[in-house]
Amino acid sequence: MVIGDFELEIEPVVAAKARLPQGTMKSDAEEVVNDPFFRLLRSSHAPNPNLSSTLPENKTNVIARSGDTEKFLRETSIRHNRRLKFIDCLSKEDVDIAELRKLAWAGTPDDLRPIVWPVLLGYIPLPSNLRVPTLARKREEYLSLVQLAFARDRQSLDQQVWHQIEIDVPRTRPGVQLWMQETTQRSLERILYVWAIRHPASGYVQGINDLVTPFFQVFLSAYIDSDPELFDTSLLPQPILNAIEADCFWCLSRLLDGIQDNYISAQPGIHRSVKRMAELISRIDAPLYNHLESQNVEFMQFAFRWMNCLLMREISVQNTIRMWDTYLAEGADAFSQFHLYVCSAFLVKWSTKLRQMDFQAMGIIMFLQSPPTQDWGDHEIELLLSEAFVLCSIWHNAQSHLNAR
Amino acid sequence: MTEGSDYDYLFKVVLIGDSGVGKSNLLSRFTRNQFNMDSKSTIGVEFATRSINVDGKLIKAQIWDTAGQERYRAITSAYYRGAVGALLVYDISKQATFANVTRWLKELRDHADSNIVIMLVGNKSDLKHLRAVPTEEATNFATQNELSFIETSALDASNVDSAFQTILTDIYRIVSSKTLDQSGDSVKAPTSDTIPVAIDSSAPAKNGCC
């Protein structure tokens, strides 16, 4: 398991941020927007400056003082090797998806994520010669969907859908600079509205707005040299903004395809997942299950939101992004299937604490509404994912055991 | 310490109304004295508590904040059970949110206990220049439908405590008069079902571990 996937190119980013608070574009952004693999393929032929041994010098010194040099060097070398494997895998004319899944399960390097995610989602095709034309076509297609949807005045929009989106867009990641900007908000509005009218069975459901944000931040990061959350999107050239928006739309669509049941009338997908989660907890942590039952705490009271927003309200976006590396590697149904094992592992994590809370149904629910994950990094998420993996391996094909109860 | 022993009454109150009228901010203003201009949307049902004093009795209010969007109606209405009070919130600057009050009343009639105490709350009273619902119109509506009525601003905090204080006092009066009338446990009126945390709502609290 890879620990703390902090990338080596972090230093220059910090420097850029200090110079220009609103952020700067990468010099090859224009090339990358046409071919997301441009940077990767070019750098795989030349020595990668990001991996030169001079960069982490400061870090090495700091850590040397703490007497942990060997561990740091080992981790750096593991990361370096993993990165090479990624580059190797992605540089092939026909990407081996099974190999890519295996690699991505343990976490994707930050700078490779903008190409790894779309490949795992099947949005970017595996054969290298199809990538550029496919992307161009899909982005064109999205643009015409937008033009069609917004062709006439606002009165002609589906008022109910538009109204809800208008209310929710300004309160998506409130307080984060990126999401408070006009340009970003208009983009988000278009993504959500076009998706909603193309999926009338569910339409826009509150919480779907949250699910766009990891995609947007990851795709934006491909073109800029600073922290996406601080970036001023009005600086983006129109073709790049259009590309980010279209890529978000198609990737969101693919993600939601796997969990449509969560958002249609009566939300049966969520009810099913919460019920299965409760059954699972009764098997893997009976004392906790019995405790919740005796305190009259219902799973629905806390786990509904865990399913509806894929835990995004309980953990940070950075945590979510790391989690989605694994979900996307797991495959299409991870957001409905694997997720319930993650939620179960998440609940069990607080078992001791929860079992000490007597006569506190309200306290228990309030704790689970905002569990203390503020300090969580990749390490905690990776632990959670591996616990979920174990649960999933044992129980996923053992439905009759669960149902027998 | 147990929840069962630190208050005299536990009342479950639901916050309902259209999306974006400020339900969550009313709750955070009342329970934590906090306000967020752009707080995240409420998903399903979220809740918080605060205790207040009425006639020397400690009343613990357990307030369930619900999502305003139609799609969540199935899950939110399940939480009306056991509620002894409801704050039905609209936005004084948005006529449509007031027009929908009728639909929300029907929601309550269909899913909540018939004795539930309902208060109509016109929120965002700070937006004076944008007012779309005249106070008089809302007062008349409230009178016709036998609701109490108040205008609040979660932003500048005006009348927020007063709104909760009023509805909790109203509930307390009803519950305590029933206690006197009928002696003992017939008070548990709206909570004979199995919804958990609500089980002892409106019944005088007993020690948790009897």
Side-chain angles (χ1 to χ4, degrees), chain A residues 164 167 170-171 174 201-202 204-207 263-265 267 296 298 300-301 304-305 308-309 313 359-363 365-366 369, chain B residues 1-3 10 19-20 38-44 46-49 60 62 64 67 69 71-72 75 79 195-197 199 208-209:
Chain A
Q164 191 65 59
I167 293 177
R171 46 184 187 167
S202 64
Y204 168 71
V205 177
Q206 295 187 300
Y263 304 112
I264 60 175
S265 179
Q267 307 189 264
N296 291 319
E298 288 177 358
M300 199 56 90
Q301 290 164 342
F304 181 87
R305 193 173 74 180
N308 193 87
C309 298
R313 294 289 178 97
F359 301 100
Q360 292 187 41
M362 289 178 267
I365 301 172
M366 280 195 279
Q369 265 176 202
Chain B
M1 182 146 99
T2 68
E3 279 175 350
L10 174 64
S19 195
D38 290 302
S39 55
K40 290 180 184 172
S41 58
T42 304
I43 302 299
E46 295 167 16
F47 91 139
T49 63
K60 185 160 189 169
Q62 183 191 107
W64 295 73
Q69 195 185 10
R71 179 53 37 86
Y72 290 112
I75 174 115
Y79 292 106
I195 273 288
V197 208
I199 269 178
C209 45

Side-chain angles (χ1 to χ4, degrees), chain A residues 66-357:
Chain A
S66 71
D68 219 358
T69 319
E70 199 181 320
K71 185 170 175 236
F72 174 77
L73 289 177
R74 197 174 61 241
E75 284 167 10
T76 306
S77 132
I78 290 173
R79 256 197 309 282
H80 178 76
N81 288 338
R82 269 177 49 73
R83 198 191 150 76
L84 290 181
K85 280 186 193 158
F86 265 105
I87 291 175
D88 199 42
C89 175
L90 292 164
S91 306
K92 294 207 175 90
E93 256 175 48
D94 211 342
V95 173
D96 179 349
I97 189 75
E99 192 196 342
L100 185 63
R101 284 187 194 289
K102 223 160 106 186
L103 285 169
W105 209 100
T108 302
D110 287 344
D111 64 320
L112 298 179
R113 208 170 266 130
I115 52 181
V116 171
W117 279 14
V119 170
L120 290 173
L121 278 162
Y123 172 54
I124 292 183
L126 302 176
S128 61
N129 60 332
L130 293 183
R131 277 178 215 137
V132 174
T134 304
L135 268 185
R137 185 168 49 78
K138 296 301 278 183
R139 287 166 178 175
E140 198 58 42
E141 194 183 334
Y142 171 71
L143 215 56
S144 59
L145 290 175
V146 170
Q147 275 158 4
L148 198 66
F150 294 92
R152 288 181 291 153
D153 59 350
R154 274 184 42 178
Q155 301 310 314
S156 62
L157 299 176
D158 180 319
Q159 290 305 314
Q160 209 182 346
V161 171
W162 181 250
H163 174 68
Q164 191 65 59
I165 290 173
E166 257 192 324
I167 293 177
D168 283 358
V169 162
R171 46 184 187 167
T172 302
R173 304 231 40 222
V176 176
Q177 214 170 305
L178 171 67
W179 294 100
M180 295 296 98
Q181 288 159 17
E182 183 77 17
T183 318
T184 324
Q185 294 193 350
R186 295 296 81 77
S187 259
L188 177 60
E189 239 164 49
R190 288 187 292 267
I191 294 168
L192 294 174
Y193 184 72
V194 174
W195 186 86
I197 55 169
R198 282 168 57 90
H199 297 83
S202 64
Y204 168 71
V205 177
Q206 295 187 300
I208 293 181
N209 55 333
D210 289 352
L211 304 183
V212 180
T213 60
F215 286 124
F216 199 96
Q217 294 186 198
V218 164
F219 295 152
L220 171 62
S221 75
Y223 307 105
I224 64 171
D225 252 333
S226 51
D227 181 352
E229 295 200 348
L230 299 174
F231 192 78
D232 177 357
T233 39
S234 68
L235 298 175
L236 289 172
Q238 198 61 42
I240 293 184
L241 179 66
N242 288 350
I244 294 172
E245 194 178 310
D247 296 350
C248 283
F249 172 80
W250 291 115
C251 289
L252 174 77
S253 300
R254 280 164 193 268
L255 186 157
L256 289 175
D257 280 350
I259 48 173
Q260 266 238 61
D261 270 11
N262 284 1
Y263 304 112
I264 60 175
S265 179
Q267 307 189 264
I270 295 185
H271 287 268
R272 198 171 47 237
S273 294
V274 172
K275 185 167 171 278
R276 287 187 53 202
M277 177 181 164
E279 288 164 356
L280 183 66
I281 298 295
S282 74
R283 288 301 184 126
I284 61 171
D285 191 344
L288 175 61
Y289 181 88
N290 295 333
H291 179 68
L292 293 177
E293 198 166 45
S294 72
Q295 301 297 310
N296 291 319
V297 174
E298 288 177 358
F299 278 71
M300 199 56 90
Q301 290 164 342
F302 56 88
F304 181 87
R305 193 173 74 180
W306 295 7
M307 302 298 169
N308 193 87
C309 298
L310 298 174
L311 280 178
M312 282 196 70
R313 294 289 178 97
E314 287 73 28
I315 58 177
S316 71
V317 170
Q318 268 60 44
N319 291 165
T320 299
I321 289 174
R322 171 59 194 87
M323 204 152 95
W324 286 14
D325 285 341
T326 300
Y327 282 25
L328 295 172
E330 272 280 316
D333 63 356
F335 292 87
S336 62
Q337 303 297 317
F338 187 64
H339 182 64
L340 84 91
Y341 295 97
V342 172
C343 289
S344 304
F346 190 69
L347 177 62
V348 168
K349 204 161 268 302
W350 319 109
S351 184
T352 315
K353 164 119 190 126
L354 293 171
R355 280 186 284 114
Q356 284 163 355
M357 299 170 93

